[in-house]
Amino acid sequence: AAYDAGHDEL
Amino acid sequence: MNVFRLVGDLSHLLAIIILLLKIWKTRSCAGVSGKSQILFSLVFITRYLDLFTNFISVYNSVMKIIYLVTSLGTVYLMYFKFKATYDSNHDTFRIEFLVVPVGGLSFLVNHDFTPLEILWTFSIYLESVAILPQLFMISKTGEAETITSHYLFALGSYRALYIVNWVYRYYTEGFFDLIAIVAGCVQTILYCDFFYLYITKVLKGKQLKLPA
């Protein structure tokens, strides 16, 4: 999922 | 990182720099919506709270700091240093009509019901509508300075490039974030009529005038 790695986009 | 996202980030940075230089050099914020600039600052503040807790890369951290400093600097120039040139009579969009629904939606539709994630979601939804006061102001004045239209073109292009980045990431990494994608599409669609005017008028050397 998008968030567990922390959002990597600005 | 991919070229679409990199060019998108640089387009975003270019937009912010264009606006900052326009206000600084002309010592005037005529034609610029201070309300949109406040919303953009709020977008960056709520999105980059993880600046010190979640290190992604030097590039990511440096860009976050640049966005925060430049957007807050723009708000400072507009509401303090060059306050006399701020056109509050035309900058009348009720931003509470944006912040409240976006705030509610970020509680209802998010990836994770945690403070940081809800604030990130709020930031994504808010960014998609943050340009509305600016577009509303231009529709009220019926025109925009050429430099302001370049600012808007760069700003609108950034999220359009991010959409390409998301397509690219979907096919190469299988990554996709529906909240960011849907909000990004809404955000880019809001620029469509401006893009049309920019390409048909400004690029031909004409002044950006909205059909009365």
Side-chain angles (χ1 to χ4, degrees), chain A residues 1-3 5-10, chain B residues 5 48 54 111 117 120 165-166 169:
Chain A
Y3 54 91
H7 298 286
D8 65 345
E9 295 183 338
L10 286 172
Chain B
R5 182 144 61 99
Y48 299 155
N54 176 23
H111 289 312
E117 191 59 28
W120 177 86
N165 150 67
W166 289 322
R169 290 190 73 179

Side-chain angles (χ1 to χ4, degrees), chain B residues 74-107:
Chain B
T74 302
V75 170
Y76 165 74
L77 290 183
M78 292 195 69
Y79 284 94
F80 297 92
K81 196 160 178 61
F82 302 125
K83 182 178 177 57
T85 65
Y86 170 54
D87 182 4
S88 57
N89 298 318
H90 288 110
D91 191 13
T92 56
F93 196 98
R94 303 285 302 278
I95 54 176
E96 53 272 32
F97 290 167
L98 297 177
V99 174
V100 174
V102 157
L105 187 63
S106 59
F107 270 91

Side-chain angles (χ1 to χ4, degrees), chain B residues 129-149:
Chain B
V129 292
I131 200 62
L132 282 175
Q134 179 68 64
L135 297 177
F136 180 74
M137 182 177 192
I138 291 178
S139 70
K140 279 193 81 172
T141 57
E143 62 183 1
E145 288 178 29
T146 302
I147 189 72
T148 308
S149 58

Side-chain angles (χ1 to χ4, degrees), chain B residues 1-5 164-176:
Chain B
M1 175 57 82
N2 59 67
V3 65
F4 308 110
R5 182 144 61 99
V164 180
N165 150 67
W166 289 322
V167 172
Y168 177 84
R169 290 190 73 179
Y170 178 70
Y171 286 112
T172 54
E173 309 166 32
F175 165 92
F176 70 97

Side-chain angles (χ1 to χ4, degrees), chain B:
Chain B
M1 175 57 82
N2 59 67
V3 65
F4 308 110
R5 182 144 61 99
L6 181 60
V7 175
D9 288 338
L10 295 178
S11 180
H12 193 188
L13 184 60
L14 177 65
I16 293 171
I17 301 298
I18 288 176
L19 185 67
L20 208 50
L21 284 181
K22 171 247 186 298
I23 296 173
W24 182 256
K25 293 281 184 196
T26 64
R27 302 181 72 77
S28 160
C29 48
V32 179
S33 165
K35 295 187 172 188
S36 278
Q37 296 312 312
I38 288 172
L39 292 178
F40 284 128
S41 293
L42 192 57
V43 163
F44 293 134
I45 290 165
T46 53
R47 189 176 303 181
Y48 299 155
L49 292 171
D50 64 351
L51 176 61
F52 301 110
T53 58
N54 176 23
F55 179 78
I56 302 281
S57 70
V58 174
Y59 169 81
N60 186 274
S61 299
V62 167
M63 289 294 273
K64 285 176 177 176
I65 292 167
I66 293 174
Y67 286 167
L68 282 164
V69 169
T70 50
S71 60
L72 289 167
T74 302
V75 170
Y76 165 74
L77 290 183
M78 292 195 69
Y79 284 94
F80 297 92
K81 196 160 178 61
F82 302 125
K83 182 178 177 57
T85 65
Y86 170 54
D87 182 4
S88 57
N89 298 318
H90 288 110
D91 191 13
T92 56
F93 196 98
R94 303 285 302 278
I95 54 176
E96 53 272 32
F97 290 167
L98 297 177
V99 174
V100 174
V102 157
L105 187 63
S106 59
F107 270 91
L108 295 174
V109 181
N110 52 61
H111 289 312
D112 196 16
F113 202 77
T114 59
L116 263 184
E117 191 59 28
I118 288 174
L119 283 169
W120 177 86
T121 309
F122 170 79
S123 161
I124 291 288
Y125 293 153
L126 185 62
E127 187 188 6
S128 63
V129 292
I131 200 62
L132 282 175
Q134 179 68 64
L135 297 177
F136 180 74
M137 182 177 192
I138 291 178
S139 70
K140 279 193 81 172
T141 57
E143 62 183 1
E145 288 178 29
T146 302
I147 189 72
T148 308
S149 58
H150 293 322
Y151 157 72
L152 282 170
F153 182 73
L155 193 61
S157 305
Y158 129 73
R159 214 60 180 172
L161 285 160
Y162 255 69
I163 294 172
V164 180
N165 150 67
W166 289 322
V167 172
Y168 177 84
R169 290 190 73 179
Y170 178 70
Y171 286 112
T172 54
E173 309 166 32
F175 165 92
F176 70 97
D177 179 352
L178 217 46
I179 285 178
I181 292 171
V182 171
C185 290
V186 167
Q187 181 170 339
T188 305
I189 288 168
L190 290 177
Y191 283 85
C192 283
D193 65 331
F194 166 77
F195 279 146
Y196 172 76
L197 287 171
Y198 183 82
I199 291 167
T200 57
K201 292 201 175 166
V202 178
L203 291 189
K204 293 199 173 89
K206 295 186 196 129
Q207 164 94 16
L208 183 84
K209 280 189 185 305
L210 299 184

